[in-house]
Amino acid sequence: MRLKRTHMCGDLRADHIDQTVIVAGWVDRIREIGGVTFLDLRDREGRVQLKFRLESSAKLLDAANHLGREYVIAAEGKVVHRGEGNTNPKLPTGDVEMEVEDLEILNKSETPPMEIRDDIEVNSELRLKYRYLDLRRPSLQANFKLRHRLVKSARDHLDARGFYEIETPLLTKPTPEGARDFIVPARQSPGKFFALPQSPQIFKQILMMSGFDKYFQFARCLRDEDKRGDRQPEHTQLDLEMSFVEPADVQSVIEGVAADIMKQTLGIDIVTPFPHLSYRDAMSKYGSDKPDTRFGMPLVDLSDDVKECGFAVFANTVKEGKVVKALRIPTGHTMVSKGQFKALEKDAKGRGAKGLAFIRYAEDELVSPIAKFFTEEELAMIKERTGAETGDLVVFVADTAHLADQILAHFRITFADKLELRDMSRYDYTWIDNFPQFEYDEESNQIVAAHHPFVMPENPEQLLAFADELRHTDGAVTPKAVDLAESIVATQYDFVVNGVELGSGSIRIVDREIQDAMFVCLGIGKEQAESQFGFLLEALKYGAPPMAGIGIGVDRWLMILLGLDTIQDVIVFPKTAGAKGLLDDSPAFADPAALEELGIQIVPKKE
RNA sequence: GGGGAUGUAGCUCAAUUUGGUUAGAGCCCCGGACUGUCGAUCCGGAGGUUGCGGGUUCGAGUCCCGUCGUCCUCGCCA
């Protein structure tokens, strides 16, 4: 390397005029115009225009004309003003250009399989295979600059508040989040396996028992589940835990972190503390435990109003203990054509609904196949309860609360997008709390945990009673058990913004008796608890402080800050939907000798 | 694991509905022209096993079966 860089391409401004500088980077584009050639040179900070003139040096001009895209070069030259009428306001460096006096080719490049620019679409397979080219695009560079800012800002904030950054093991025992574990064979213990952590949950609790008081970590979390737009097999959590605190203390820390992050990344001042919304209210109003609270369009529960109505489908649904919920779509009648409604109905059915009832509030009549089943009074009630006006569309789902909420919440978001009700410059951070500790599934007559098994209940005496009941019935799910289970409220708090669940935290159980009761309630036997979590239970005997914490999805947070709808482009090397790494072509077959050593034999999967 | 979409030039797409003779366009690439361009422009050129395998047919990018990849979605999951 003959020419040593003095400035970054993207940093050059009018201030640098008359200075002789050396820049280095990738050839973005070359424009030959006879006796003059313009070359855009790109680095992390941006692009600058290099100029080669016949009058200055025929040799340099010829050299420039023989460069190719993505060649890596260094250039020395004088920064000059481009002159009246030649400036480019679209470029931050657009007032200036470099008159090149010396040029060094640092590396050549084959013609890349994709163009390095933001304004073209390339299929994701190619983007992931040549991720290093994809990452050269300015928008991707900006994503990771923001990611760095977010991490740095959170780290600084937590350091200032007395947190220790501590790493926990990657080779661990299975953790209890409920997802499938990635497992790693243990060579020195034939037949045994490590699990990669789904989260550092147990370890951070033990760190509190170790007396570290306040801990945080940017923790990689690995879960062997199918991916979605906002889910990858490996993701990063800002994980933290505090001793001698209550949820409000943890929330206050996160509010401080969030305020700093918003300021440092987007330059936005946000108002703290954040509002709280109970799980119950979130579900009834928005049909979701991660509601987008930036706009209204509340779901309306008509169950009580229609249980005696003339429309048998509605009345019977309510009598079966299910619900009838409605969503008013403002201007929906004018906006949604018959054909488009068919698509909606198909969508609803695809999600499990039996149908999608509707009323169109046309100019002077109701267009609806179900209107004829209702009395005038009932129609007036529906109009009043939903707030429907002329031009609106109201859709109804009569089914289980779960399904009705899921479908209508989905439509609520879809139409808010169409109506442009989702203000992209707004960030509605919200705490969701008062979650149920258990969920009861009527069909299978089973009570399952809504969270991991270390979440402290608000009302532990109910948990103890529930455990007692199960001990008496030998685990059988009686109506009394269901009542008790449903009465237990978790100390859990979820951190939500704009309809995305960023994180979740709680007070942890540190009382051995309550922890034992929790295992009973989850149907985890003494032996199983001992073998899976024995080390934690043992630790609880030796003085565990009261503790609470939270884990926040860094990738999702970035997705929100950048206005993206997937986390794919805030992760440098993401996996595909089939959990493959296209860049390194992972996963791959293992060396037979390695398998031999591990005592592992591959058995073909049965059909 | 289920459902849906998709695969045509290096890239983005058209031709698929109704099977028909030579599979087109823009960008990229190559050559030429051009002394203020910046998505440069103009002229010329190259570039294809239509994902892969099989089948139907006189004839398949187009129809059928299988298979693989990618994306979305349900289940699952943070």
Side-chain angles (χ1 to χ4, degrees):
Chain A
M1 198 172 67
R2 194 164 50 80
L3 297 177
K4 182 96 171 92
R5 178 170 73 185
T6 64
H7 291 74
M8 299 294 283
C9 299
D11 285 344
L12 294 180
R13 296 289 185 279
D15 298 344
H16 299 95
I17 285 174
D18 286 337
Q19 291 182 33
T20 295
V21 301
I22 300 175
V23 292
W26 286 262
V27 174
D28 195 68
R29 231 166 306 206
I30 302 171
R31 294 177 293 279
E32 287 178 44
I33 294 109
V36 62
T37 286
F38 298 103
L39 183 155
D40 291 338
L41 194 65
R42 183 185 67 240
D43 65 17
R44 195 181 75 183
E45 304 303 326
R47 263 157 51 190
V48 70
Q49 176 165 288
L50 310 188
K51 184 174 64 174
F52 301 83
R53 288 170 62 95
L54 188 62
E55 288 87 340
S56 311
S57 165
K59 206 176 137 198
L60 277 176
L61 178 71
D62 185 61
N65 289 347
H66 284 90
L67 296 171
R69 289 192 305 139
E70 302 311 310
Y71 273 42
V72 183
I73 64 168
E76 179 170 20
K78 199 160 97 175
V79 179
V80 298
H81 193 269
R82 289 193 184 189
E84 224 36 59
N86 295 331
T87 58
N88 183 355
K90 283 189 268 183
L91 230 52
T93 62
D95 284 340
V96 298
E97 63 191 0
M98 268 175 67
E99 285 182 340
V100 176
E101 292 152 12
D102 195 1
L103 179 71
E104 182 181 7
I105 296 174
L106 300 170
N107 217 332
K108 294 183 173 188
S109 171
E110 289 186 16
T111 302
M114 54 192 271
E115 295 179 59
I116 315 297
R117 43 196 272 197
D118 284 328
D119 56 345
I120 55 161
E121 295 263 331
V122 181
N123 80 63
S124 70
E125 207 175 334
L126 200 75
R127 289 184 55 199
L128 292 178
K129 182 173 175 192
Y130 297 98
R131 187 62 164 174
Y132 43 90
L133 296 178
D134 194 35
L135 289 168
R136 286 181 197 167
R137 296 158 73 180
S139 65
L140 277 278
Q141 293 271 316
N143 290 359
F144 290 97
K145 181 177 179 180
L146 196 87
R147 185 171 182 126
H148 166 72
R149 289 248 172 290
L150 182 148
V151 168
K152 174 80 164 65
S153 157
R155 187 170 266 138
D156 288 349
H157 185 98
L158 292 170
D159 173 60
R161 292 190 68 155
F163 283 77
Y164 287 180
E165 183 169 3
I166 301 175
E167 290 150 287
T168 50
L170 284 178
L171 298 173
T172 71
K173 253 185 150 167
T175 42
E177 265 69 20
R180 197 179 294 114
D181 285 313
F182 281 106
I183 61 171
V184 179
R187 177 181 52 82
Q188 292 170 309
S189 308
K192 292 188 177 177
F193 294 84
F194 294 107
L196 299 177
Q198 296 177 32
S199 84
Q201 183 61 40
I202 292 180
F203 284 100
K204 71 174 172 181
Q205 289 180 213
I206 289 177
L207 288 178
M208 293 303 99
M209 299 178 203
S210 311
F212 286 114
D213 201 80
K214 294 188 205 66
Y215 134 98
F216 82 98
Q217 168 181 206
F218 288 95
R220 309 301 295 276
C221 303
L222 301 116
R223 295 169 196 185
D224 185 8
E225 297 289 351
D226 287 359
K227 106 158 208 154
R228 286 287 189 287
D230 62 353
R231 252 162 53 187
Q232 280 271 334
E234 46 186 324
H235 76 287
T236 305
Q237 274 188 13
L238 170 52
D239 190 54
L240 63 85
E241 195 77 9
M242 304 167 75
S243 299
F244 310 107
V245 295
E246 296 175 329
D249 299 302
V250 176
Q251 288 158 9
S252 154
V253 165
I254 294 304
E255 284 161 356
V257 168
D260 265 14
I261 283 176
M262 294 306 285
K263 189 73 184 169
Q264 302 286 326
T265 57
L266 302 183
I268 293 176
D269 291 303
I270 53 167
V271 179
T272 57
F274 302 141
H276 287 246
L277 189 64
S278 75
Y279 170 82
R280 190 184 298 271
D281 289 347
M283 292 308 292
S284 87
K285 190 169 174 192
Y286 303 107
S288 168
D289 60 359
K290 42 179 197 291
D292 190 338
T293 52
R294 285 174 297 178
F295 61 97
M297 290 181 70
L299 271 46
V300 181
D301 190 340
L302 296 173
S303 304
D304 285 342
D305 306 279
V306 300
K307 71 178 166 213
E308 303 295 341
C309 78
F311 184 36
V313 173
F314 281 8
N316 291 340
T317 300
V318 177
K319 280 170 193 156
E320 287 167 21
K322 298 178 185 174
V323 303
V324 175
K325 288 187 101 167
L327 174 69
R328 169 193 168 226
I329 299 164
T331 73
H333 170 54
T334 30
M335 182 171 55
V336 181
S337 71
K338 268 189 177 176
Q340 286 166 326
F341 185 83
K342 281 254 186 284
L344 282 189
E345 195 174 22
K346 197 181 162 199
D347 188 356
K349 284 181 176 171
R351 288 166 196 275
K354 285 167 207 77
L356 190 64
F358 68 91
I359 298 177
R360 287 173 174 274
Y361 291 84
E363 200 60 50
D364 30 46
E365 55 165 349
L366 298 184
V367 180
S368 167
I370 62 167
K372 62 184 177 225
F373 298 113
F374 295 105
T375 64
E376 287 294 324
E377 289 75 32
E378 285 163 351
L379 287 172
M381 175 275 299
I382 290 172
K383 189 164 190 287
E384 198 265 320
R385 289 290 319 277
T386 59
E389 290 170 17
T390 301
D392 290 352
L393 166 66
V394 172
V395 295
F396 305 82
V397 175
D399 215 302
T400 60
H402 175 76
L403 209 63
D405 282 338
Q406 195 198 326
I407 291 164
L408 291 177
H410 169 71
F411 286 160
R412 178 175 171 267
I413 299 293
T414 306
F415 282 99
D417 268 335
K418 286 204 172 109
L419 294 164
E420 294 180 1
L421 297 175
R422 305 180 90 191
D423 181 349
M424 294 317 282
S425 65
R426 198 170 136 185
Y427 298 88
D428 274 18
Y429 290 99
T430 309
W431 294 105
I432 310 293
D433 40 31
N434 292 307
F435 278 83
Q437 186 97 31
F438 298 98
E439 280 164 5
Y440 173 59
D441 181 46
E442 219 163 320
E443 299 224 338
S444 61
N445 191 39
Q446 276 193 326
I447 296 167
V448 294
H451 324 285
H452 64 68
F454 313 119
V455 175
M456 181 71 178
E458 295 275 6
N459 43 357
E461 68 289 346
Q462 291 292 97
L463 181 82
L464 295 173
F466 175 32
D468 272 344
E469 171 68 12
L470 288 177
R471 285 187 185 110
H472 281 120
T473 63
D474 216 18
V477 177
T478 59
K480 187 182 169 194
V482 173
D483 278 351
L484 282 166
E486 290 184 332
S487 74
I488 302 169
V489 178
T491 56
Q492 170 152 327
Y493 35 91
D494 276 12
F495 186 48
V496 169
V497 60
N498 296 1
V500 172
E501 183 193 325
L502 287 185
S504 184
S506 69
I507 299 179
R508 320 304 181 186
I509 298 173
V510 291
D511 180 299
R512 182 62 198 263
E513 191 193 354
I514 296 174
Q515 189 65 66
D516 284 343
M518 179 60 76
F519 286 137
V520 170
C521 296
L522 297 175
I524 297 174
K526 253 198 158 62
E527 275 178 31
Q528 191 192 347
E530 203 55 50
S531 80
Q532 271 191 279
F533 315 117
F535 63 111
L536 178 73
L537 299 177
E538 178 81 3
L540 283 178
K541 294 180 189 167
Y542 297 102
M547 64 177 85
I550 193 166
I552 295 180
V554 168
D555 314 289
R556 284 188 183 174
W557 206 341
L558 283 157
M559 170 184 91
I560 286 287
L561 296 181
L562 288 161
L564 304 172
D565 47 19
T566 85
I567 61 174
Q568 175 128 336
D569 285 339
V570 300
I571 296 175
V572 267
F573 303 116
K575 300 281 189 285
T576 67
K580 289 178 174 53
L582 298 186
L583 177 77
D584 59 354
D585 196 23
S586 61
F589 290 108
D591 180 352
L595 291 179
E596 173 83 44
E597 191 173 28
L598 292 165
I600 291 178
Q601 210 169 18
I602 305 300
V603 181
K605 216 174 174 179
K606 286 186 190 124
E607 285 307 311

